[in-house]
């Protein structure tokens, strides 16, 4: 049995299964490096808000394809842990704008470095820039395709 089959990666596996596998293994790696913070996949939400201050919970739903209830629960947890602040949007009082706190702002560079280390370890290089662009475009296309579903 080949090593790759242990992870469920076979030649005839759907492309998306490979992407899912990559994502899951990166999360395992990240969590092993910052296990004391008990963040799990929620660190991705911190990163999204850090890069886009004022993002709404609905934006997170669209970006990550999670349910509104799941995002609301995660945002509440991140707020309780002191990583995210919610403020009422002055243009729409029924929505909240999300911003990172200083605690999150200190954490993000650490997460980014760990992510770079993981990419290096698994063989992602600067030569993969075009592949990154293509996969990002596929992700955007998928979001557009399903945004009204």
């Amino acid at each position: 049995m080949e090593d790759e089959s242990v992870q469920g990666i076979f030649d005839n596996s759907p492309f998306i299964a490979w992407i899912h596998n990559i994502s899951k293994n990166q999360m395992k790696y990240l969590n092993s490096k910052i296990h004391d913070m008990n963040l799990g996949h929620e660190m991705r939400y911190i990163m999204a808000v850090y890069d886009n201050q004022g993002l709404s919970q609905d934006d997170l739903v669209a970006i990550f394809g999670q349910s509104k209830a799941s995002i609301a629960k995660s945002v509440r947890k991140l707020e309780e842990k002191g990583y995210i602040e919610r403020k009422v949007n002055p243009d729409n009082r029924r929505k909240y704008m999300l911003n990172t706190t200083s605690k999150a702002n200190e954490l993000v560079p650490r997460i980014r470095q760990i992510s770079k280390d993981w990419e290096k370890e698994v063989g992602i290089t600067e030569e993969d820039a075009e592949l990154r662009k293509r996969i990002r475009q596929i992700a955007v296309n998928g979001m557009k395709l399903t945004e009204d579903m």
Side-chain angles (χ1 to χ4, degrees), residues 17-78:
W18 300 346
I19 299 293
H20 180 74
N21 180 280
I22 291 167
S23 176
K24 292 295 251 184
N25 283 312
Q26 185 202 30
M27 288 307 302
K28 283 182 190 177
Y29 184 86
L30 284 166
N31 283 322
S32 76
K33 300 296 182 182
I34 58 169
H35 56 85
D36 55 317
M37 296 180 187
N38 193 26
L39 288 173
H41 67 276
E42 289 152 349
M43 75 179 75
R44 291 181 175 166
Y45 305 154
I46 293 171
M47 303 294 285
V49 173
Y50 177 88
D51 290 335
N52 303 280
Q53 299 292 320
L55 211 59
S56 73
Q57 286 182 203
D58 288 340
D59 294 329
L60 291 178
V61 167
I63 293 166
F64 293 102
Q66 300 294 315
S67 70
K68 287 184 178 188
S70 176
I71 292 293
K73 182 180 175 182
S74 292
V75 167
R76 195 170 23 260
K77 188 189 298 185
L78 291 171

Side-chain angles (χ1 to χ4, degrees), residues 97-138:
M97 297 184 316
L98 305 174
N99 294 296
T100 51
T101 63
S102 58
K103 183 177 180 180
N105 295 343
E106 291 174 15
L107 177 62
V108 168
R110 184 171 165 203
I111 293 172
R112 288 226 161 100
Q113 185 57 56
I114 294 168
S115 290
K116 285 180 183 177
D117 294 345
W118 177 84
E119 288 178 4
K120 182 179 177 185
E121 289 293 321
V122 300
I124 298 172
T125 67
E126 292 300 319
E127 289 80 40
D128 294 319
E130 287 303 314
L131 178 61
R132 286 177 191 256
K133 286 180 188 175
R134 182 70 184 122
I135 291 173
R136 180 184 183 283
Q137 188 58 54
I138 291 169

